[in-house]
Amino acid sequence: MTSYYFEHQKIYLSVDCIIFGFEANKLKVLIGKRQMDPGRGEWSLYGGFVRNDEGIDEAAKRTLYELTGIRNVFMSQVSAFGNVDRDPGERVVSIAYYALINVADYSAKQQKDHGVEWVNIDEIPEMFSDHKEMVQKARKLLQRKIKHEPVGFQLLPHLFTLTQLQRLYEAVNGEELDKRNFRKRVKEMDFIEKTDLIDKLTSKRGAVLYRFNKKMYEADLNFKL
Amino acid sequence: MTSYYFEHQKIYLSVDCIIFGFEANKLKVLIGKRQMDPGRGEWSLYGGFVRNDEGIDEAAKRTLYELTGIRNVFMSQVSAFGNVDRDPGERVVSIAYYALINVADYSAKQQKDHGVEWVNIDEIPEMFSDHKEMVQKARKLLQRKIKHEPVGFQLLPHLFTLTQLQRLYEAVNGEELDKRNFRKRVKEMDFIEKTDLIDKLTSKRGAVLYRFNKKMYEADLNFKL
DNA sequence: TCAAAAGTGTTAGATTTACACCCATGA
DNA sequence: TCATGGGTGTAAATCTAACACTTTTGA
């Protein structure tokens, strides 16, 4: 007998992705106009239904992949959202996930093809259902995460300047940081490696490029335990 | 037409409750032997299926109420758990919630009737499915929560001594605290009110009883904004 | 030559931690 | 009278926050 729980009700289960990117010193989210009823045309997160043969984390990864072609990036569950009437069409419980991607990995063409675009986190419009709430909650979680773990690098190019890194932290937390204090703290993080390359794009003088050394980070972690 | 999403699959959705209590200076969780197949007889959290006509938060509250007869206590979502094979019987996605109750509100008789009992958080046995993981995660969240918000009072009687309060914090975080530093910090919290009552149960000298003043706490919050 | 971004240390204040003795009382 | 848990303050160390000037170079 395969139906132990036959007397109970099944429910539509979806995932919604809050896809964060960092561009022009702003934290952005990838959103688009909803392309299905109900709610067609409203601003919406990109999402999809969970299939019976995949885990919820996989469903989130698959959804991200279908939209962006990107795999193997940082994703983390935000929360399940399940008010009875959150979806005007039918009862759907949705699990929100946030993802961090490098905007350079997602071309303007791809955005057009899927009808999505990067919107500044501080300028999110009204959105379908509870999607805006999902975005706010995801941001809070990202703020906490980035304070303790080096996830920020997922939002930056492989090589970056300290000013870029600072702007990223400022964008995530929505507050300015002191340059000297910031650089002091970064210097104490062995997993942020100075390279001998110089970026000349944003200043005449040029700024040293750094990179994130994952192995160093993991060694650090072991050391601390 | 009521089925916008007919081409997608529905899934069993459940809630599982991590019910915390505080007794004999230990943080405890209410667990019982599972009374249904599959997994009958394994240690398990108390849970239930989400109905189509209730939100997930309500489902969690209802589940807690069905077990304990207790309403209006602090509950908070832990996370959704949704590996494909997490339930050996069928595909079930479960949303874990933790609750804080005063053990005095749940009699030994009630426990027997429902076949559940308080188990020390540090002595949780192997459990059905991913329930142990849920407990660990809930504890982490509780630790964070209690650091920033006065949720601990939900686990204590209405009146309590400072030593009791300290033991609670120690039990939650699994580490001893310095008595003087602890009391210093408590003194700065205006919402912890001294009463003129004395507890003579645990010491010959007697200890002053305190109580949590919710209104004070909320006034404090407003003040800080 | 000057505008624009990169880079660099010190100090005061706030917070956190460590630590030891007296008090009141019931048995 | 003494064993038990209740109650109290200070000083060192650490962490955090504030702050201003020099360097380099392309336009």
Side-chain angles (χ1 to χ4, degrees):
Chain A
M1 157 108 139
T2 59
S3 82
Y4 286 103
Y5 309 131
F6 63 91
E7 77 264 39
H8 299 290
Q9 299 167 337
K10 292 188 178 186
I11 296 179
Y12 286 121
L13 194 59
S14 67
V15 292
D16 284 302
C17 297
I18 298 99
I19 303 168
F20 286 112
F22 179 65
E23 197 184 33
N25 292 340
K26 301 269 193 252
L27 184 65
K28 311 217 161 177
V29 183
L30 203 52
I31 64 177
K33 298 279 177 75
R34 188 168 152 100
Q35 291 169 1
M36 57 165 37
D37 284 313
R40 189 184 294 269
E42 292 183 54
W43 285 105
S44 164
L45 293 169
Y46 195 80
F49 286 86
V50 177
R51 297 182 190 150
N52 235 306
D53 61 356
E54 66 183 356
I56 56 176
D57 293 356
E58 287 101 79
K61 281 182 202 159
R62 173 178 57 76
T63 302
L64 179 73
Y65 180 73
E66 283 171 7
L67 175 65
T68 63
I70 298 172
R71 258 199 263 255
N72 299 321
V73 296
F74 179 85
M75 277 192 104
S76 182
Q77 189 186 131
V78 175
S79 181
F81 289 75
N83 284 345
V84 175
D85 54 359
R86 56 175 295 283
D87 188 298
E90 288 198 54
R91 176 76 197 282
V92 181
V93 171
S94 186
I95 305 171
Y97 282 80
Y98 73 94
L100 306 179
I101 73 172
N102 178 347
V103 292
D105 292 342
Y106 193 56
S107 70
K109 178 178 182 319
Q110 283 176 298
Q111 290 172 44
K112 245 193 200 135
D113 290 350
H114 283 95
V116 294
E117 56 191 273
W118 292 109
V119 173
N120 190 331
I121 185 84
D122 294 315
E123 295 163 9
I124 303 283
E126 283 314 301
M127 291 185 82
F128 173 74
S129 182
D130 47 14
H131 286 196
K132 201 165 174 177
E133 203 186 322
M134 290 179 177
V135 174
Q136 309 300 358
K137 203 160 182 179
R139 188 189 195 181
K140 281 241 173 71
L141 289 176
L142 174 58
Q143 290 177 341
R144 263 193 235 160
K145 192 79 174 177
I146 207 173
K147 215 158 271 177
H148 304 290
E149 286 164 63
V151 292
F153 307 99
Q154 306 266 354
L155 292 162
L156 289 174
H158 184 57
L159 296 168
F160 50 86
T161 68
L162 291 186
T163 302
Q164 274 179 288
L165 187 62
Q166 184 179 341
R167 296 283 171 268
L168 169 62
Y169 275 76
E170 289 173 336
V172 168
N173 290 306
E175 61 186 17
E176 296 202 347
L177 297 172
D178 180 275
K179 182 162 54 153
R180 280 180 287 188
N181 290 337
F182 181 80
R183 293 164 104 100
K184 212 184 303 169
R185 250 184 300 136
V186 169
K187 226 164 254 167
E188 282 160 9
M189 301 177 191
D190 296 333
F191 53 85
I192 299 182
E193 276 187 338
K194 200 171 189 164
T195 68
D196 49 6
L197 302 168
I198 305 290
D199 170 281
K200 300 281 286 183
L201 295 174
T202 51
S203 82
K204 294 161 183 175
R205 175 174 172 179
V208 174
L209 286 162
Y210 288 73
R211 82 173 140 228
F212 172 59
N213 185 328
K214 200 177 170 201
K215 278 172 200 148
M216 273 284 194
Y217 175 66
E218 282 157 1
D220 256 32
L221 273 188
N222 292 332
F223 184 67
K224 279 176 195 155
L225 295 179
Chain B
M1 156 106 137
T2 58
S3 84
Y4 286 102
Y5 309 130
F6 63 90
E7 76 265 37
H8 300 289
Q9 300 167 338
K10 292 188 178 186
I11 295 179
Y12 285 121
L13 194 59
S14 67
V15 292
D16 284 302
C17 297
I18 298 97
I19 302 167
F20 286 113
F22 180 65
E23 197 184 34
N25 291 341
K26 300 267 194 255
L27 184 66
K28 310 218 162 175
V29 183
L30 204 50
I31 64 178
K33 298 277 177 78
R34 188 169 153 97
Q35 291 170 2
M36 57 163 41
D37 283 313
R40 188 184 296 270
E42 291 183 53
W43 286 104
S44 164
L45 293 169
Y46 196 79
F49 285 87
V50 177
R51 297 182 191 150
N52 236 305
D53 60 357
E54 66 183 356
I56 56 175
D57 292 356
E58 287 100 80
K61 281 181 203 159
R62 173 179 57 78
T63 302
L64 179 71
Y65 180 73
E66 285 171 9
L67 175 65
T68 63
I70 299 173
R71 257 199 264 256
N72 300 322
V73 296
F74 178 84
M75 277 192 104
S76 181
Q77 189 186 130
V78 174
S79 179
F81 289 75
N83 284 346
V84 175
D85 55 359
R86 57 175 293 285
D87 188 297
E90 286 200 56
R91 176 75 197 281
V92 181
V93 171
S94 185
I95 305 173
Y97 282 79
Y98 73 94
L100 305 180
I101 74 173
N102 178 348
V103 293
D105 293 343
Y106 194 57
S107 70
K109 179 181 182 313
Q110 283 176 299
Q111 291 171 45
K112 244 190 202 139
D113 289 351
H114 282 95
V116 294
E117 56 190 274
W118 292 109
V119 173
N120 190 331
I121 184 82
D122 293 316
E123 295 164 8
I124 303 284
E126 282 314 301
M127 292 185 81
F128 174 73
S129 183
D130 45 15
H131 286 195
K132 200 165 176 177
E133 204 185 321
M134 292 179 176
V135 173
Q136 308 302 357
K137 204 161 181 177
R139 186 188 196 181
K140 281 239 173 73
L141 290 176
L142 173 58
Q143 290 177 341
R144 264 193 234 162
K145 192 82 175 174
I146 208 173
K147 216 159 269 178
H148 303 289
E149 286 164 64
V151 292
F153 307 99
Q154 306 267 354
L155 291 163
L156 289 175
H158 183 60
L159 296 169
F160 50 87
T161 68
L162 291 187
T163 301
Q164 274 179 290
L165 186 61
Q166 181 178 345
R167 296 283 172 270
L168 169 61
Y169 275 76
E170 290 174 335
V172 168
N173 291 306
E175 61 187 16
E176 296 201 349
L177 297 173
D178 180 275
K179 182 164 51 156
R180 281 181 286 189
N181 292 336
F182 181 79
R183 293 165 103 99
K184 212 186 304 171
R185 251 184 298 137
V186 169
K187 228 165 253 167
E188 283 160 10
M189 301 178 192
D190 295 335
F191 52 85
I192 299 182
E193 276 187 338
K194 200 170 187 165
T195 69
D196 49 5
L197 302 168
I198 305 288
D199 170 281
K200 302 279 287 182
L201 295 174
T202 51
S203 81
K204 295 162 183 176
R205 174 176 172 177
V208 174
L209 286 162
Y210 288 74
R211 81 172 141 230
F212 173 57
N213 184 328
K214 201 179 172 198
K215 279 172 200 147
M216 272 285 193
Y217 175 65
E218 281 156 4
D220 257 32
L221 272 189
N222 292 331
F223 183 68
K224 280 178 193 154
L225 295 180

